[in-house]
């Protein structure tokens, strides 16, 4: 007997029998999927909260002759954009880099803040004429200094 020869009532009866037999398994699979999704959401939120609580900050101090070129700015932006990859196992929301500008006694100050897992990348200078200083309380992180052209720091 082929499929077109079966009456529609018989097909519907077979479909109903298959669905009624599979219904408990489909419900269990749906509940398992929903429980997994809830667990994953809670775990991810905990990872983000932990990463945001454990951040490092560095101050960026340019020289008086600081005038970066377009290529240098693009390279630094790409370096900051790759912070997510350096902070392994930290969700994207927790591995964001924050640039913060403040004015203290008429002097503008720039701070870079990011995840502690990527502190080494955060403290790397992005420009030749910029010094990166870590904040107090972070003595284990040392700034990296590169010599400019002609061997002068």
């Amino acid at each position: 007997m082929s499929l077109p020869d079966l009456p529609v009532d018989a097909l519907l009866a077979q479909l109903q029998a298959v669905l009624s037999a599979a219904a408990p398994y489909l419900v269990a699979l749906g509940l398992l999927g929903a429980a997994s999704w809830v667990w994953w959401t809670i775990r991810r939120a905990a990872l983000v909260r932990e990463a945001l609580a454990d951040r490092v900050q560095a101050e960026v101090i340019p020289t008086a002759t600081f005038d970066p070129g377009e290529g240098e700015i693009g390279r630094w932006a790409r370096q900051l954009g790759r912070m997510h990859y350096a902070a392994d196992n930290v969700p994207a929301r927790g591995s964001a880099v924050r640039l913060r500008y403040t004015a203290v006694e008429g002097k503008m100050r720039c701070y870079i803040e990011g995840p502690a897992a990527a502190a080494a990348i955060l403290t790397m200078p992005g420009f030749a004429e910029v010094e990166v200083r870590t904040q107090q309380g972070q003595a284990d992180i040392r700034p990296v200094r590169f010599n400019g052209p002609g061997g002068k720091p």
Side-chain angles (χ1 to χ4, degrees), residues 3-76:
L3 191 60
D5 295 339
L6 287 177
V8 175
D9 292 338
L11 284 175
L12 289 177
Q14 286 179 349
L15 181 61
Q16 183 181 7
V18 169
L19 287 178
S20 63
Y25 300 107
L26 292 175
V27 169
L29 185 62
L31 289 174
L32 182 64
S36 297
W37 179 77
V38 167
W39 173 81
W40 180 254
T41 303
I42 291 170
R43 181 179 177 271
R44 183 173 150 80
L47 286 173
V48 169
R49 206 170 21 255
E50 180 183 319
L52 290 175
D54 189 25
R55 293 175 68 82
V56 294
Q57 186 178 30
E59 183 177 6
V60 180
I61 304 167
T63 62
T65 59
F66 176 65
D67 186 22
E70 193 174 316
E72 212 172 3
I73 293 171
R75 188 183 77 237
W76 189 62

Side-chain angles (χ1 to χ4, degrees), residues 2 37 47 67 81 95 106 108-109 120 127 149:
S2 67
W37 179 77
L47 286 173
D67 186 22
S95 65
M108 187 169 156
R109 302 181 100 167
F127 300 102

Side-chain angles (χ1 to χ4, degrees), residues 84-141:
H84 171 69
Y85 301 109
D88 195 27
N89 293 329
V90 176
R93 288 180 50 204
S95 65
V97 175
R98 178 190 302 178
L99 295 174
R100 192 169 40 134
Y101 294 93
T102 62
V104 178
E105 298 175 4
K107 286 188 168 185
M108 187 169 156
R109 302 181 100 167
C110 176
Y111 297 96
I112 301 176
E113 182 180 302
I121 303 281
L122 190 67
T123 57
M124 288 180 65
F127 300 102
E129 297 181 15
V130 172
E131 181 182 350
V132 179
R133 291 186 189 164
T134 58
Q135 297 296 310
Q136 289 98 5
Q138 298 175 2
D140 57 334
I141 302 172

